[in-house]
Amino acid sequence: MNHTNTPGESQRKAKPVAPKVKELTDRTKSIILATVDAEGNPNSSYAPFVQEGNTFYILVSFMAKHTKNLSEGRKTSVMFIEDESATKQIYARERLTLEVKSSQIERDSETWNTIVARLKKAHGKVVDVISEMGDFILIALQPVKGSYVNGFGSAYFVDENLEIIEHRNDVNHQSK
């Protein structure tokens, strides 16, 4: 890993890199969750996921704080982030952050059965066990808007379809 560049050197050399939102979500197995409870207290966690179109699905237990927050449709943000061991610059890890709307999928519905089968294929036989437990529910996370960053000077606004809207070049970093 290259950690020798100073922020000024990295900024001067930075050129926007072509966005690869789909590639990031395709190579990520779990989603980082940020939710808030009824009192506005934050909670962060993660869950393995599968993606169908632009919607992300997670199978989560009510024993976890985030599940109640998600099931009640509270404000939620999710993040996909490049593995630390794969990054060239720790301050510029590739990442996608989205505001999402959450909704619960009815157990044993067609969507439930399809997505649980996809979760099993993606994450193994443990899904057979947990999907039968009464405290596990299936949640759909539908993107509203977000941002994608893949390096210094390479940040973009993202829409609900996970499409790049525009480069975030309106704000430049300032030196002291």
Side-chain angles (χ1 to χ4, degrees), residues 52-174:
E52 181 75 31
N54 297 328
T55 304
F56 304 96
Y57 293 89
I58 57 176
L59 189 59
V60 288
S61 169
F62 261 105
M63 296 178 84
K65 288 180 182 181
H66 61 262
T67 303
K68 181 174 182 178
N69 300 337
L70 290 165
S71 71
E72 294 178 354
R74 303 202 186 283
K75 288 185 177 183
T76 301
S77 176
V78 299
M79 184 169 67
F80 303 83
I81 189 163
E82 176 182 33
D83 189 299
E84 286 181 10
S85 65
T87 192
K88 294 177 183 172
Q89 174 46 261
I90 197 69
Y91 281 98
R93 285 168 70 187
E94 182 184 12
R95 59 201 175 271
L96 171 66
T97 305
L98 301 167
E99 290 179 28
V100 297
K101 290 182 185 176
S102 60
S103 58
Q104 186 172 336
I105 303 301
E106 185 179 331
R107 184 176 286 272
D108 296 323
S109 66
E110 183 177 339
T111 301
W112 169 280
N113 293 328
T114 299
I115 298 301
V116 167
R118 292 203 50 224
L119 282 162
K120 179 182 175 185
K121 183 176 180 182
H123 304 296
K125 292 182 180 183
V126 68
V127 174
D128 281 336
V129 175
I130 64 175
S131 65
E132 293 298 319
M133 295 178 175
D135 62 305
F136 274 81
I137 62 172
L138 185 62
I139 299 283
L141 303 169
Q142 183 65 49
V144 175
K145 64 181 178 178
S147 65
Y148 172 78
V149 176
N150 65 350
F152 290 114
S154 191
Y156 304 85
F157 292 109
V158 177
D159 69 12
E160 70 277 3
N161 298 312
L162 306 178
E163 299 287 335
I164 299 298
I165 298 173
E166 64 182 321
H167 186 256
R168 292 176 58 175
N169 60 358
D170 58 342
V171 179
N172 294 318
H173 295 287
Q174 302 295 318

